[in-house]
Amino acid sequence: MNSTILLFLIQDGITNGAVYALLGLALVLVFAVTRVILIPQGEFVTYGALTYASLASGQMPGTAKLAVAMGVAAFAFDLYAARRALHGKKIARAFAVDIALPLIVLALTFWAASHHAPVPLAIALSLVIVASIGLFLYRIAFQPIAHTSVLVLLIASVGCHLAMQGLGLLFFGAEGQRGPALADAALTAGPLRFTGQSLAVYGITIAFIIGLWLFFGLTRYGKALRATAVNRLGARLVGIRTSLSGQIAFLLASMIGALSGILIVPITTLYYDTGFLIGLKGFIAAIIGGLVSYPLTAIAALLVGIVEAFSSFYASNFKEVIVFMLLVPVLLLRSLAAPTAVEDEKD
């Protein structure tokens, strides 16, 4: 170990931690708004990465067809939910979002795959496809049981993870894929060399975090999400549609997952099940943040990335063990604090 290796490890850790920060923020957002521990967040990473890689290589991704199928199911759910008061505007809006939009995206995907889509178009289509899947996933799997316990929602989340992982194997096969880099430029600072992809990871992560901060602080929908996260029942009493808040939360989480996958796939080969492990590391950051604190989650994600980088250097065989051991002291401290909280409630 010398200063040069130390700097390289810190650089690698910050790069990975930036991606984990995005995933951790998405997990905190979804849990705060819907009480769902989003186990399929890793599948959003995989779907986004492999959809982008498939389009860039001229292949037709099955995720576009999945979005259409889920849209049809979501439209059927919307019709059933509004069966007692069918209004033309509601039906037209549901048809446009659930049927028309996925079909348009499917047609664009067919065209892009046959013409070897340029990188910007492949990124845009991948984000839209995975965001649609996330939106429809909430409508089909979680919105009907939104008022049940956290345990029931967790069981549904695990089921969605297993189903989406199996579909990922069906769509992309067992072989891994890599995608083209987002930028070819490079920057040298002393012994360190920052590739265009690393710079893209830093820039997009910072821009996305700032964008989320502005969204929650300035927009009406962002304030509605914050209100739903603080008090779900109170939000409903003042006229906020908590179902719409849940849909927006899943839409943002799936888009963040897809974006994370697109940032990762030029750096390393991804397989249909790789996203689960990546999502778990974002989950570690979210747990350290208590599933409520966005700044603490971002800081914890950088810590996870740096610990992972140093673990791969000193003990690569135990890298994952060391990373997941970060949860032990956090859970221990919270378990020691839990009895006091229970006693206070009884008093």
Side-chain angles (χ1 to χ4, degrees):
M1 171 66 72
N2 54 42
S3 60
T4 302
I5 295 176
L6 176 67
L7 290 174
F8 275 118
L9 291 177
I10 293 175
Q11 177 192 6
D12 189 40
I14 292 175
T15 302
N16 293 335
V19 176
Y20 300 153
L22 286 176
L23 297 176
L25 293 175
L27 289 166
V28 172
L29 169 64
V30 169
F31 182 78
V33 175
T34 66
R35 301 177 301 122
V36 175
I37 299 175
L38 191 59
I39 307 296
Q41 183 67 37
E43 275 59 55
F44 293 144
V45 175
T46 303
Y47 281 16
L50 298 184
T51 298
Y52 166 65
S54 298
L55 285 173
S57 62
Q59 301 175 12
M60 178 64 193
T63 47
K65 299 177 183 178
L66 175 64
V68 173
M70 294 181 70
V72 172
F75 183 65
F77 272 69
D78 287 336
L79 287 181
Y80 180 78
R83 64 190 182 280
R84 296 179 180 176
L86 290 175
H87 298 291
K89 284 188 176 180
K90 288 185 177 181
I91 296 175
R93 187 186 305 117
F95 181 84
V97 174
D98 299 339
I99 304 294
L101 179 60
L103 286 176
I104 293 172
V105 173
L106 179 63
L108 288 174
T109 306
F110 268 117
W111 180 88
S114 61
H115 289 78
H116 287 271
V119 169
L121 179 58
I123 292 174
L125 285 175
S126 300
L127 291 176
V128 173
I129 290 170
V130 179
S132 301
I133 291 174
L135 175 65
F136 298 146
L137 180 68
Y138 178 77
R139 181 63 189 91
I140 296 169
F142 295 102
Q143 187 171 319
I145 58 172
H147 303 292
T148 57
S149 66
V150 175
L151 178 60
V152 173
L153 294 171
L154 176 61
I155 294 171
S157 185
V158 172
C160 291
H161 154 68
L162 294 174
M164 292 179 69
Q165 191 174 81
L167 290 171
L169 176 60
L170 176 65
F171 295 150
F172 304 109
E175 296 183 359
Q177 296 188 50
R178 296 188 72 162
L182 303 185
D184 297 326
L187 176 65
T188 301
L192 296 179
R193 184 176 184 274
F194 298 91
T195 64
Q197 188 64 31
S198 298
L199 294 174
V201 171
Y202 303 147
I204 292 175
T205 300
I206 294 173
F208 213 96
I209 290 175
I210 293 174
L212 286 176
W213 176 67
L214 293 175
F215 172 74
F216 287 121
L218 301 179
T219 67
R220 184 176 62 178
Y221 288 111
K223 293 176 180 178
L225 284 179
R226 289 173 55 194
T228 306
V230 172
N231 190 321
R232 187 179 182 87
L233 178 59
R236 293 182 63 191
L237 290 176
V238 297
I240 296 174
R241 292 173 53 196
T242 54
S243 61
L244 179 60
S245 298
Q247 291 172 9
I248 295 174
F250 266 72
L251 183 70
L252 289 174
S254 57
M255 187 176 295
I256 291 172
L259 181 62
S260 302
I262 292 170
L263 292 175
I264 295 171
V265 75
I267 300 174
T268 183
T269 302
L270 291 188
Y271 299 83
Y272 75 96
D273 59 348
T274 307
F276 178 62
L277 187 59
I278 298 172
L280 280 181
K281 292 172 184 176
F283 182 69
I284 293 174
I287 290 295
I288 294 175
L291 287 172
V292 291
S293 173
Y294 294 101
L296 187 56
T297 298
I299 295 172
L302 293 177
L303 173 65
V304 170
I306 292 173
V307 169
E308 181 184 25
F310 278 88
S311 301
S312 63
F313 180 78
Y314 283 108
S316 59
N317 291 336
F318 300 98
K319 177 181 68 173
E320 310 299 347
V321 176
I322 294 172
V323 170
F324 287 110
M325 281 293 291
L326 292 173
L327 280 178
V328 174
V330 176
L331 295 178
L332 179 61
L333 290 173
R334 294 206 173 135
S335 67
L336 293 175
T340 303
V342 172
E343 292 173 3
D344 291 342
E345 289 179 3
K346 289 181 180 179
D347 294 339

